[in-house]
Structures are given as structure tokens and as C-alpha cells.
Amino acid sequence: MRDILSDLEAGKQLSDPDPTRRAQIQMRTPLPKRFYKAASIAPSDTGFAVHLDGKPVRTPGKALLALPTEKAAALVAAEFEAQEDVIDPVTMPVLRLVNTAIDGVSTDTQAVLEDILRFASSDLLCYRADGPQGLVDRQNTHWDPVIDWALTSLGARFELAEGVIHVEQPRESIAVLGAHLARRNDPFRLAAIHVMTSITGSALLALAVEQGGLAAEAAWTAAHVDEDWQIEHWGQDSEAVARRAFRKRDMMAAVALLEALGDRI
């Protein structure tokens, strides 16, 4: 059981970030069959562990797959229960995120924190179009409230620029975000924030969602203002639709994990 789970998370099944390419690979590499009857959760020394047929699940790094809250563990157990004839890791975004948190983020939370701050130093929301006016207005509508939230809620002021010329953000603002994230160094929470940041291209959107200052769907829409504008005018292909759906599934899994962790800070 543990060897199969390790293979899944090591990428032997989740073999390519592109959904079309991944489907082609998986046609040649059959998914493993479901080998357990039931998934459940049980108290452990570190919280709540996920069990398959009464046996604890291990991460690819051989650590116990346990989460801080019962609700969070239930999310992973539900993903195992949802598997039918085969185990498809693409449909288990919370499991992948939790494995990353336990095996990766927990070993160096500072590195993850610093990567989020790198996004903040060139945050998507700070780079505005100079035209057409419809796009400018749409960016202002979706992005300005988050910039305002960062100032009023976190005390972090961000400079805006037109185009792609880099604008240096106040060092004090980045320091404020760093201090804010340092209080959120729980590996699961930090991993979820990092996933949202990397998917949206905006640390500010991720932090606003995590703090309850912005709904997840609103953040998703804000992150895709430019893309949606292009789609409305030029359309999109099926591969782009599949990639976007995959990213949204991962984003919403991160949001679900944050909600299940609760406000413990």
C-alpha cells in the first residue's frame, strides 16, 4: 500500500502538468486499482491520521499522514473514498497538497515563506494595463479592493505601475507581509497559501482569501482578469480549458484545506 502511494506522489502517475499530455501518458501507464475497502480517520499523537482498511497511510517520505484537525483529515479520507476502480491522483488535490506540506514544507518553512514574498515583490495586482479602457476598468474593479485590503488590514502599501516595467515595492511592506506569514508557519497552512499564490500569481490574493477578506471565487476571477479579457476577444482552445480547470481544482483544494484547519492562529 505504501509503495503504491509513494509511486503516485513521486510523479509516476501525475506525470505532466499539462492535462492533455498527462492523459496521453496515462493511456500508456494504467492507473493502479483501488486496493482498499474503506478510508477512515483516527486520533494520533500529531492530530488525526488517515487510515485505509484500518492501517495508517504514509506519505511518500514515509511519514504518518496526519493532520491537525479532524475536518482536515476528513478531506483526505473523502478523496480516498471517492476513488472507484482505480486510484487517480489527479482527482486527489488535497492529498497531494498534504503530502507536500508534510514531506517538503515542514522541513523548511522559511524557504516557502520567502518564495511567497518573492511573489509579493512583483505581485500580479501591481502591474496594470495602459489600455484598452475596458481592461483597465476591469483590473481596477477586481484588484483595487485587494490593494486597499492589504493597506487597511495588514498595513502594507503597494506601488502600482503600468506595463511590465518592474516597480520596487516598499521594503517596509514586504517586511510586514513577512511578519504576517511568520505567524502562519504551520506547514499545512503555509503550503496552502503557497499553492494559491503560485496559481494566481499574487500573494495578496492568497493572503486575502486566507484571512477571510476575499472569497475564493472572487480571488479566482481577479487572478484571471487579463486571461478572461483575451478569451472574450480571441477565444480559447480545449487544452487551455483543461489546464485552467486543473489549476482551479488545486486552488479550491487549498482553500478547502485552510477552511478545515480553522482559525488556529
Side-chain angles (χ1 to χ4, degrees):
M1 177 183 71
R2 295 173 185 174
D3 289 342
I4 292 175
L5 291 176
S6 296
D7 286 349
L8 291 174
E9 290 304 312
K12 294 184 180 180
Q13 304 298 328
L14 190 64
S15 49
D16 197 283
D18 184 288
T20 301
R21 174 63 178 159
R22 185 170 58 251
Q24 294 170 344
I25 294 172
Q26 290 180 349
M27 287 177 65
R28 300 194 299 269
T29 308
L31 293 169
K33 292 183 179 180
R34 173 168 170 161
F35 53 89
Y36 53 90
K37 292 182 179 180
S40 60
I41 58 176
S44 72
D45 291 341
T46 55
F48 295 87
V50 179
H51 287 205
L52 299 179
D53 292 340
K55 298 179 181 179
V57 177
R58 297 280 172 176
T59 69
K62 309 304 181 185
L64 179 69
L65 202 160
L67 294 98
T69 69
E70 187 173 4
K71 287 183 179 180
L75 289 177
V76 179
E79 289 187 341
F80 276 111
E81 279 292 348
Q83 304 304 299
E84 297 180 353
D85 297 330
V86 296
I87 303 172
D88 185 356
V90 174
T91 65
M92 305 176 79
V94 180
L95 172 65
R96 289 187 277 111
L97 177 56
V98 167
N99 281 339
T100 298
I102 295 173
D103 288 346
V105 178
S106 65
T107 64
D108 193 352
T109 57
Q110 185 62 28
V112 179
L113 185 155
E114 290 174 358
D115 197 46
I116 296 171
L117 292 182
R118 279 191 287 272
F119 274 93
S121 66
S122 56
D123 204 275
L124 168 73
L125 307 191
C126 297
Y127 293 88
R128 307 300 178 91
D130 55 8
Q133 191 59 44
L135 176 57
V136 172
D137 292 342
R138 192 175 299 185
Q139 287 179 343
N140 292 341
T141 297
H142 290 281
W143 295 357
D144 285 356
V146 184
I147 296 292
D148 293 341
W149 171 85
L151 180 59
T152 58
S153 297
L154 302 180
R157 177 178 59 85
F158 282 82
E159 302 289 345
L160 308 184
E162 289 186 352
V164 296
I165 303 300
H166 179 70
V167 56
E168 192 75 22
Q169 297 299 338
R171 298 178 69 176
E172 297 83 357
S173 295
I174 301 301
V176 165
L177 291 191
H180 179 77
L181 284 168
R183 297 191 294 273
R184 284 161 157 65
N185 62 355
D186 171 276
F188 300 101
R189 186 176 297 273
L190 204 56
I193 294 172
H194 186 271
V195 163
M196 292 193 295
T197 298
S198 59
I199 288 175
T200 63
S202 171
L204 296 182
L205 286 175
L207 290 173
V209 171
E210 192 268 340
Q211 281 287 282
L214 186 68
E217 284 290 346
W220 178 259
T221 299
H224 293 81
V225 165
D226 293 355
E227 183 177 316
D228 287 340
W229 178 268
Q230 294 296 325
I231 290 171
E232 290 172 14
H233 289 80
W234 303 103
Q236 64 181 337
D237 59 33
S238 58
E239 291 187 10
V241 172
R243 285 193 297 270
R244 180 160 169 161
F246 183 76
R247 294 197 311 271
K248 187 171 185 179
R249 178 161 46 191
D250 279 1
M251 166 112 172
M252 295 308 169
V255 174
L257 180 58
L258 283 173
E259 292 175 348
L261 290 173
D263 185 12
R264 298 181 298 106
I265 298 177

